[in-house]
Amino acid sequence: QVQLVESGGGLVQPGGSLRLSCAASGFTFRRYVMNWYRQAPGKERELVAAITSTGGTTNYADSMKGRFTISRDSAKNTVYLQMNSLQPEDTAVYYCNARATILGEFNDYWGQGTQVTVSS
């Protein structure tokens, strides 16, 4: 079965850092684009960062550029999101996502989410 399991969320102070992890299993990790999304209370889910299957290209929402870094480790089937200079507006549930089209079939998998709270 396909699983995406996020970890690393928690409570941090403004200006602090946090690293989220997403452990993938049940599919061919190297073939998938990996993404991080987040959803804050009362807001739509938004894309935070994306990384190609090879890890050669990354993309970020404007508000995250310069603060967040997405990466992946093929040996561990894990994608990471390093978050620095965190602010209260970064408070949200963060979700790991995997997408790929294989033999004409579109695959779209989601993790359960992990809570990030930025507060004094």
Side-chain angles (χ1 to χ4, degrees):
Q1 64 276 16
V2 171
Q3 285 191 313
L4 295 172
V5 181
E6 299 99 333
S7 61
L11 175 65
V12 296
Q13 295 183 343
S17 297
L18 205 61
R19 189 176 80 155
L20 306 183
S21 298
C22 173
S25 61
F27 63 98
T28 306
F29 181 76
R30 70 179 187 274
R31 297 182 180 177
Y32 282 71
V33 174
M34 301 299 297
N35 311 285
W36 286 97
Y37 286 79
R38 72 183 185 186
Q39 188 166 24
K43 295 185 177 180
E44 297 291 323
R45 187 172 297 187
E46 64 175 340
L47 179 67
V48 174
I51 186 167
T52 57
S53 59
T54 64
T57 302
T58 59
N59 200 9
Y60 303 91
D62 288 342
S63 63
M64 266 65 78
K65 289 180 180 178
R67 298 191 300 125
F68 290 11
T69 303
I70 188 171
S71 61
R72 64 195 294 162
D73 186 334
S74 60
K76 296 181 178 180
N77 286 357
T78 300
V79 62
Y80 304 94
L81 183 67
Q82 178 67 46
M83 305 185 293
N84 299 324
S85 301
L86 286 163
Q87 300 299 313
E89 54 264 37
D90 296 315
T91 296
V93 177
Y94 285 71
Y95 297 91
C96 181
N97 168 256
R99 294 194 180 100
T101 300
I102 302 174
L103 297 178
E105 180 180 355
F106 177 65
N107 303 102
D108 189 14
Y109 305 132
W110 291 88
Q112 81 290 344
T114 185
Q115 177 71 48
V116 172
T117 302
V118 185
S119 176
S120 299

